[in-house]
Short mmCIF file of all heavy atoms in Angstrom, two decimals:
data_model
loop_
_atom_site.label_atom_id
_atom_site.label_comp_id
_atom_site.label_asym_id
_atom_site.label_seq_id
_atom_site.Cartn_x
_atom_site.Cartn_y
_atom_site.Cartn_z
N GLY A 564 118.07 102.73 70.84
CA GLY A 564 118.59 102.47 69.49
C GLY A 564 118.45 103.70 68.60
O GLY A 564 119.43 104.28 68.18
N SER A 565 117.20 104.16 68.43
CA SER A 565 116.99 105.30 67.54
C SER A 565 117.19 106.63 68.27
O SER A 565 117.20 107.69 67.64
CB SER A 565 115.57 105.25 66.97
OG SER A 565 114.65 105.27 68.04
N GLY A 566 117.36 106.59 69.59
CA GLY A 566 117.56 107.83 70.31
C GLY A 566 117.63 107.60 71.81
O GLY A 566 117.47 106.48 72.28
N ILE A 567 117.86 108.72 72.52
CA ILE A 567 117.91 108.65 73.99
C ILE A 567 116.67 109.36 74.52
O ILE A 567 116.36 110.48 74.12
CB ILE A 567 119.20 109.32 74.50
CG1 ILE A 567 120.41 108.48 74.08
CG2 ILE A 567 119.16 109.46 76.02
CD1 ILE A 567 121.74 109.09 74.50
N TYR A 568 115.99 108.68 75.42
CA TYR A 568 114.73 109.21 75.94
C TYR A 568 114.80 109.42 77.44
O TYR A 568 115.54 108.74 78.16
CB TYR A 568 113.59 108.24 75.64
CG TYR A 568 113.20 108.20 74.19
CD1 TYR A 568 113.85 107.38 73.29
CD2 TYR A 568 112.18 109.02 73.72
CE1 TYR A 568 113.51 107.34 71.96
CE2 TYR A 568 111.81 108.99 72.37
CZ TYR A 568 112.48 108.16 71.50
OH TYR A 568 112.12 108.13 70.17
N SER A 569 113.99 110.37 77.89
CA SER A 569 113.83 110.63 79.31
C SER A 569 112.97 109.53 79.91
O SER A 569 112.01 109.06 79.30
CB SER A 569 113.14 111.99 79.45
OG SER A 569 112.95 112.32 80.79
N PHE A 570 113.33 109.10 81.13
CA PHE A 570 112.62 107.99 81.77
C PHE A 570 112.69 108.16 83.27
O PHE A 570 113.71 108.60 83.76
CB PHE A 570 113.26 106.66 81.32
CG PHE A 570 112.41 105.45 81.57
CD1 PHE A 570 111.33 105.15 80.75
CD2 PHE A 570 112.69 104.59 82.63
CE1 PHE A 570 110.54 104.03 80.97
CE2 PHE A 570 111.90 103.47 82.85
CZ PHE A 570 110.83 103.19 82.03
N PRO A 571 111.72 107.78 84.07
CA PRO A 571 110.46 107.13 83.72
C PRO A 571 109.57 108.06 82.90
O PRO A 571 109.82 109.28 82.84
CB PRO A 571 109.83 106.85 85.10
CG PRO A 571 110.39 107.91 85.99
CD PRO A 571 111.78 108.16 85.48
N ILE A 572 108.54 107.48 82.31
CA ILE A 572 107.71 108.23 81.37
C ILE A 572 107.17 109.49 82.04
O ILE A 572 106.54 109.44 83.10
CB ILE A 572 106.57 107.33 80.86
CG1 ILE A 572 107.17 106.20 80.02
CG2 ILE A 572 105.55 108.15 80.06
CD1 ILE A 572 106.22 105.04 79.75
N ASN A 573 107.50 110.62 81.43
CA ASN A 573 107.08 111.93 81.95
C ASN A 573 106.78 112.82 80.75
O ASN A 573 106.85 112.36 79.59
CB ASN A 573 108.16 112.52 82.87
CG ASN A 573 109.44 112.85 82.12
OD1 ASN A 573 109.54 113.88 81.46
ND2 ASN A 573 110.43 111.94 82.15
N LEU A 574 106.44 114.05 81.02
CA LEU A 574 106.02 114.93 79.91
C LEU A 574 107.11 115.07 78.85
O LEU A 574 106.82 115.17 77.66
CB LEU A 574 105.59 116.29 80.48
CG LEU A 574 104.98 117.28 79.52
CD1 LEU A 574 103.87 116.66 78.66
CD2 LEU A 574 104.43 118.49 80.29
N PHE A 575 108.38 115.06 79.30
CA PHE A 575 109.45 115.19 78.30
C PHE A 575 109.53 113.94 77.41
O PHE A 575 109.76 114.05 76.20
CB PHE A 575 110.80 115.49 78.96
CG PHE A 575 111.79 116.04 77.97
CD1 PHE A 575 111.61 117.33 77.46
CD2 PHE A 575 112.84 115.28 77.49
CE1 PHE A 575 112.49 117.85 76.50
CE2 PHE A 575 113.72 115.79 76.55
CZ PHE A 575 113.55 117.07 76.05
N THR A 576 109.29 112.77 78.02
CA THR A 576 109.26 111.53 77.22
C THR A 576 108.13 111.62 76.20
O THR A 576 108.29 111.26 75.02
CB THR A 576 108.96 110.31 78.14
OG1 THR A 576 109.62 110.46 79.38
CG2 THR A 576 109.35 109.01 77.46
N LEU A 577 106.98 112.10 76.64
CA LEU A 577 105.82 112.16 75.75
C LEU A 577 106.05 113.20 74.65
O LEU A 577 105.62 113.03 73.51
CB LEU A 577 104.56 112.46 76.57
CG LEU A 577 104.21 111.30 77.53
CD1 LEU A 577 103.22 111.74 78.59
CD2 LEU A 577 103.68 110.09 76.76
N TYR A 578 106.78 114.24 75.00
CA TYR A 578 107.19 115.23 74.00
C TYR A 578 108.12 114.57 72.97
O TYR A 578 107.97 114.74 71.75
CB TYR A 578 107.88 116.42 74.68
CG TYR A 578 108.62 117.31 73.72
CD1 TYR A 578 107.92 118.15 72.85
CD2 TYR A 578 110.01 117.30 73.66
CE1 TYR A 578 108.60 118.96 71.95
CE2 TYR A 578 110.69 118.10 72.77
CZ TYR A 578 109.99 118.93 71.91
OH TYR A 578 110.66 119.71 71.02
N GLN A 579 109.08 113.78 73.47
CA GLN A 579 110.03 113.13 72.56
C GLN A 579 109.35 112.12 71.64
O GLN A 579 109.68 111.99 70.48
CB GLN A 579 111.13 112.43 73.37
CG GLN A 579 112.06 113.39 74.07
CD GLN A 579 113.13 112.63 74.86
OE1 GLN A 579 112.85 111.89 75.79
NE2 GLN A 579 114.38 112.80 74.47
N VAL A 580 108.37 111.39 72.20
CA VAL A 580 107.73 110.34 71.41
C VAL A 580 106.62 110.90 70.53
O VAL A 580 106.48 110.53 69.37
CB VAL A 580 107.17 109.22 72.34
CG1 VAL A 580 106.37 108.18 71.56
CG2 VAL A 580 108.30 108.55 73.11
N TYR A 581 105.80 111.81 71.07
CA TYR A 581 104.59 112.26 70.37
C TYR A 581 104.61 113.73 69.97
O TYR A 581 103.69 114.19 69.28
CB TYR A 581 103.37 112.04 71.27
CG TYR A 581 103.01 110.58 71.49
CD1 TYR A 581 102.89 110.07 72.78
CD2 TYR A 581 102.77 109.73 70.41
CE1 TYR A 581 102.54 108.74 72.99
CE2 TYR A 581 102.43 108.40 70.62
CZ TYR A 581 102.31 107.91 71.91
OH TYR A 581 101.96 106.60 72.11
N GLY A 582 105.60 114.48 70.48
CA GLY A 582 105.63 115.92 70.15
C GLY A 582 104.67 116.76 70.96
O GLY A 582 104.51 117.96 70.69
N VAL A 583 104.01 116.18 71.95
CA VAL A 583 103.06 116.97 72.76
C VAL A 583 103.82 117.87 73.73
O VAL A 583 104.88 117.50 74.22
CB VAL A 583 102.08 116.06 73.54
CG1 VAL A 583 101.11 115.39 72.59
CG2 VAL A 583 102.84 115.01 74.35
N ARG A 584 103.24 119.04 74.02
CA ARG A 584 103.99 120.01 74.81
C ARG A 584 103.38 120.34 76.16
O ARG A 584 104.05 120.94 77.01
CB ARG A 584 104.13 121.33 74.02
CG ARG A 584 105.05 121.19 72.85
CD ARG A 584 104.90 122.36 71.88
NE ARG A 584 105.88 122.25 70.81
CZ ARG A 584 107.07 122.84 70.83
NH1 ARG A 584 107.43 123.60 71.83
NH2 ARG A 584 107.91 122.66 69.82
N THR A 585 102.14 120.00 76.36
CA THR A 585 101.49 120.37 77.62
C THR A 585 100.89 119.13 78.27
O THR A 585 100.63 118.13 77.59
CB THR A 585 100.34 121.37 77.39
OG1 THR A 585 99.29 120.69 76.68
CG2 THR A 585 100.78 122.60 76.62
N PRO A 586 100.64 119.20 79.58
CA PRO A 586 100.04 118.05 80.26
C PRO A 586 98.71 117.64 79.61
O PRO A 586 98.47 116.44 79.42
CB PRO A 586 99.82 118.55 81.69
CG PRO A 586 100.88 119.59 81.88
CD PRO A 586 101.03 120.25 80.54
N ASP A 587 97.89 118.60 79.23
CA ASP A 587 96.60 118.24 78.63
C ASP A 587 96.76 117.56 77.28
O ASP A 587 96.11 116.57 76.99
CB ASP A 587 95.70 119.49 78.48
CG ASP A 587 95.10 119.89 79.82
OD1 ASP A 587 95.20 119.06 80.77
OD2 ASP A 587 94.58 121.01 79.93
N GLU A 588 97.68 118.11 76.46
CA GLU A 588 97.94 117.47 75.17
C GLU A 588 98.47 116.05 75.37
O GLU A 588 98.09 115.12 74.65
CB GLU A 588 99.03 118.23 74.40
CG GLU A 588 98.54 119.44 73.60
CD GLU A 588 99.74 120.21 73.02
OE1 GLU A 588 100.71 119.58 72.53
OE2 GLU A 588 99.70 121.44 73.08
N ALA A 589 99.33 115.92 76.37
CA ALA A 589 99.94 114.60 76.62
C ALA A 589 98.88 113.60 77.05
O ALA A 589 98.84 112.47 76.55
CB ALA A 589 101.02 114.72 77.70
N ARG A 590 98.01 114.03 77.96
CA ARG A 590 96.94 113.12 78.43
C ARG A 590 96.05 112.69 77.27
O ARG A 590 95.73 111.52 77.13
CB ARG A 590 96.07 113.84 79.47
CG ARG A 590 96.62 113.72 80.86
CD ARG A 590 95.56 113.98 81.93
NE ARG A 590 96.24 114.08 83.20
CZ ARG A 590 96.82 115.18 83.65
NH1 ARG A 590 96.75 116.30 82.95
NH2 ARG A 590 97.47 115.17 84.79
N ALA A 591 95.70 113.67 76.45
CA ALA A 591 94.80 113.37 75.34
C ALA A 591 95.46 112.41 74.35
O ALA A 591 94.84 111.47 73.86
CB ALA A 591 94.38 114.66 74.64
N ARG A 592 96.76 112.64 74.08
CA ARG A 592 97.47 111.78 73.11
C ARG A 592 97.63 110.37 73.65
O ARG A 592 97.44 109.39 72.93
CB ARG A 592 98.85 112.40 72.78
CG ARG A 592 99.64 111.63 71.74
CD ARG A 592 98.89 111.62 70.41
NE ARG A 592 99.48 110.70 69.44
CZ ARG A 592 99.26 109.38 69.37
NH1 ARG A 592 98.46 108.80 70.27
NH2 ARG A 592 99.82 108.65 68.44
N LEU A 593 97.96 110.29 74.92
CA LEU A 593 98.16 108.97 75.52
C LEU A 593 96.84 108.20 75.55
O LEU A 593 96.81 106.99 75.26
CB LEU A 593 98.73 109.11 76.94
CG LEU A 593 99.29 107.81 77.53
CD1 LEU A 593 100.45 107.27 76.70
CD2 LEU A 593 99.77 108.02 78.96
N GLU A 594 95.77 108.92 75.85
CA GLU A 594 94.44 108.31 75.90
C GLU A 594 94.14 107.55 74.60
O GLU A 594 93.65 106.42 74.62
CB GLU A 594 93.41 109.44 76.12
CG GLU A 594 92.02 108.98 76.53
CD GLU A 594 91.99 108.34 77.92
OE1 GLU A 594 92.77 108.77 78.80
OE2 GLU A 594 91.21 107.39 78.07
N GLN A 595 94.52 108.18 73.47
CA GLN A 595 94.27 107.53 72.16
C GLN A 595 95.03 106.22 72.00
O GLN A 595 94.62 105.34 71.27
CB GLN A 595 94.75 108.43 71.03
CG GLN A 595 93.93 109.66 70.78
CD GLN A 595 94.67 110.56 69.77
OE1 GLN A 595 95.48 110.12 68.95
NE2 GLN A 595 94.38 111.85 69.84
N ALA A 596 96.21 106.17 72.68
CA ALA A 596 97.09 105.00 72.49
C ALA A 596 96.71 103.82 73.38
O ALA A 596 97.13 102.69 73.13
CB ALA A 596 98.54 105.40 72.77
N LEU A 597 95.92 104.08 74.42
CA LEU A 597 95.66 103.03 75.40
C LEU A 597 94.76 101.93 74.86
O LEU A 597 93.90 102.18 74.01
CB LEU A 597 95.03 103.62 76.67
CG LEU A 597 95.85 104.70 77.39
CD1 LEU A 597 95.16 105.11 78.68
CD2 LEU A 597 97.27 104.21 77.67
#
Side-chain angles (χ1 to χ4, degrees):
S565 59
I567 293 178
Y568 288 86
S569 179
F570 197 76
I572 294 165
N573 66 80
L574 186 49
F575 198 70
T576 322
L577 294 164
Y578 166 72
Q579 290 180 297
V580 174
Y581 290 126
V583 290
R584 290 165 176 266
T585 67
D587 283 347
E588 276 174 41
R590 274 200 190 83
R592 182 63 190 82
L593 194 62
E594 194 66 35
Q595 289 171 25
L597 301 185

